[in-house]
């Protein structure tokens, strides 16, 4: 059985992170408002139940998530948590911001707008700004946020060159001087991680949704490359934007990769759900536990927006899943035959 208190080493660093971590986009009011009281209760519950890895970003609510994370962690001793935030955008005041409307997916009262900057000076400024918003002197993991064609399209080469020729030096200096303990990328695509490894040494990659119960393509090349490089994976988006949490049986539109799911994905999830029913396994539990079967994955960090959701997620994380369930998925070609299985698998 998985245990919330289990720890895994992050890359080749001295950091150890909880195998279930806290994704803090919801603390920035992702899609809907979360009150300060509810945000504090959510984070308190996660801390009380043993989570130690907390991942935030200036992007999440134009600084709101960082403020809330800092307020929750500040009373703790440093040994009680590992903090991750991101660089690559600078927040600048925006007096015209309509704080009553969704902005970049967040309903935040913070009147700021983000501007991309992957340069040396931009990363240093972003790091210092995050310290101020967090109200914390120490940040453990600094991730370059949203580099790559997935986000930047035709501007991909421009921003990649900016990071390659200038920005990486900032991350490396901060790590060498002990200001941070690990550097990495926080992205939605494998390709940019592979390109970045040619620039320098990375300790981790926060990868959203690309190695999951639905997708195992990284098994053949990317995950072995990460291990050879000395980098761990922090796996965000284990539910592939929701479809592996909700399933496809209801009347709601299932989402995959931030959009309504295409039919071939719906069909595959329906087949996985049938196997779940056969073995009385919760689909979301299988999605949450599966990535940790691979030795490159150090932690899985679903987004958590309420104390109840924290409790439910920990229950899913600790649900006992029989080994026969995983084998049946492989036999039906619903899971890559080479996929390593979670250590929680039990024979029945």
């Amino acid at each position: 059985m998985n245990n919330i208190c289990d720890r895994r080493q992050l890359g080749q660093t001295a950091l150890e992170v909880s195998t279930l971590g806290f994704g803090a986009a919801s603390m920035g009011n992702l899609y809907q408002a979360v009150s300060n009281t509810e945000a504090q209760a959510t984070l308190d519950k996660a801390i009380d139940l043993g989570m130690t890895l907390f991942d935030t970003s200036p992007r999440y609510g134009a600084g709101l998530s960082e403020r809330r994370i800092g307020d929750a962690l500040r009373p703790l001793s440093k040994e009680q948590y590992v903090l991750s935030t991101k660089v690559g955008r600078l927040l600048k005041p925006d007096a015209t911001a309509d704080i009553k409307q969704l902005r970049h997916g967040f309903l935040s009262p913070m009147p700021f707008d983000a501007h991309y900057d992957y340069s040396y000076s931009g990363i240093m400024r972003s790091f210092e700004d995050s310290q101020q918003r967090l109200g914390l002197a120490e940040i453990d993991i600094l991730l370059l946020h949203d580099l790559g064609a997935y986000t930047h399209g035709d501007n991909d080469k421009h921003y990649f060159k900016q990071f390659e020729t200038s920005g990486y030096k900032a991350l490396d200096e901060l790590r060498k001087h002990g200001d941070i303990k690990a550097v990495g990328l926080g992205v939605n695509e494998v390709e940019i991680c592979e390109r970045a490894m040619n620039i320098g040494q990375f300790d981790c990659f926060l990868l959203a949704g690309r190695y999951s119960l639905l997708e195992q393509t990284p098994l053949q090349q990317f995950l072995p490359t990460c291990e050879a490089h000395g980098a761990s994976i922090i796996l965000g988006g284990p539910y592939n934007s929701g479809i592996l949490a909700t399933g496809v049986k209801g009347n709601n539109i299932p989402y995959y990769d931030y959009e309504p799911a295409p039919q071939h994905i719906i069909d595959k999830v329906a087949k996985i759900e049938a196997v779940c029913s056969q073995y009385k396994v919760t689909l979301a539990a299988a999605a949450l536990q599966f990535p940790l079967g691979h030795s490159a994955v150090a932690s899985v960090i679903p987004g958590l927006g309420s104390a109840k959701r924290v409790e439910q997620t920990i229950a899913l994380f600790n649900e006992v899943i029989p080994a026969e369930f995983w084998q049946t998925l492989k036999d039906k070609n619903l899971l890559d035959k080479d996929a390593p299985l979670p250590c929680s698998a039990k024979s029945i």
Side-chain angles (χ1 to χ4, degrees), residues 2 211-216 235 237-240 243-245 269 272-277 279-293 300 312-313 315-322 325-327 329 334-335 340-345:
N2 285 314
Y211 182 65
S212 70
L213 199 62
L214 270 177
E215 298 181 47
Q216 295 97 52
L235 204 290
Y239 303 130
N240 278 121
I243 194 168
L244 290 177
V269 173
I272 294 173
E273 279 193 284
V275 179
C276 287
S277 296
Y279 289 97
K280 297 180 173 58
V281 169
T282 308
L283 174 65
L288 199 61
Q289 294 183 33
F290 168 73
L292 287 163
V300 174
Q312 291 171 337
T313 301
L316 293 169
F317 191 71
N318 288 319
E319 182 176 317
V320 177
I321 298 178
F325 166 78
W326 302 111
Q327 188 57 51
L329 289 181
L334 295 171
L335 201 60
L341 302 178
C343 61
S344 64

Side-chain angles (χ1 to χ4, degrees), residues 56-126:
T56 183
S57 170
R59 168 72 165 175
Y60 303 157
L64 180 62
S65 177
E66 285 187 318
R67 289 171 66 96
R68 287 171 163 175
I69 290 290
D71 289 345
L73 298 184
R74 200 172 303 116
L76 307 181
S77 65
K78 188 61 193 71
E79 294 72 27
Q80 290 179 267
Y81 65 87
V82 174
L83 173 61
S84 168
T85 194
K86 303 180 181 75
V87 293
R89 293 178 175 90
L90 291 175
L91 299 185
K92 298 183 180 181
D94 181 5
T96 66
D98 186 351
I99 62 173
K100 295 182 180 180
Q101 300 294 327
L102 282 177
R103 290 173 292 137
H104 309 296
F106 294 91
L107 189 61
S108 173
M110 306 286 280
F112 297 91
D113 196 14
H115 301 265
Y116 294 115
D117 193 331
Y118 297 99
S119 69
Y120 177 94
S121 61
I123 287 174
M124 289 296 193
R125 168 73 181 275
S126 181

Side-chain angles (χ1 to χ4, degrees), residues 194-269:
E194 294 175 331
R195 287 164 61 194
M197 280 187 272
N198 294 318
I199 296 176
Q201 180 61 46
F202 292 86
D203 303 299
C204 59
F205 297 107
L206 197 170
L207 188 64
R210 297 285 75 88
Y211 182 65
S212 70
L213 199 62
L214 270 177
E215 298 181 47
Q216 295 97 52
T217 304
L219 269 175
Q220 307 310 319
Q221 177 176 320
F222 178 63
L223 293 179
T225 300
C226 285
E227 291 190 302
H229 183 79
S232 292
I233 299 298
I234 299 171
L235 204 290
Y239 303 130
N240 278 121
S241 301
I243 194 168
L244 290 177
T246 63
V248 296
K249 293 179 179 179
N251 294 322
N252 293 330
I253 297 174
Y255 274 75
Y256 166 79
D257 212 12
Y258 310 106
E259 296 180 351
Q263 191 60 48
H264 73 279
I265 292 293
I266 293 174
D267 293 343
K268 183 173 182 179
V269 173

Side-chain angles (χ1 to χ4, degrees), residues 18 29 70 108 121 141-142 213 223-224 271 275 278 283 315 338:
S18 55
N29 290 1
S108 173
S121 61
I141 306 167
L142 205 57
L213 199 62
L223 293 179
K271 293 175 182 178
V275 179
Q278 178 183 347
L283 174 65
D338 295 324

Side-chain angles (χ1 to χ4, degrees), residues 26-57:
S26 292
M27 297 296 95
N29 290 1
L30 180 64
Y31 303 131
Q32 61 186 3
V34 176
S35 70
N36 288 331
T37 300
E38 187 176 7
Q40 186 67 49
T42 302
L43 289 161
D44 286 346
K45 180 64 68 173
I47 293 164
D48 290 345
L49 294 179
M51 289 187 184
T52 65
L53 174 60
F54 295 84
D55 175 72
T56 183
S57 170

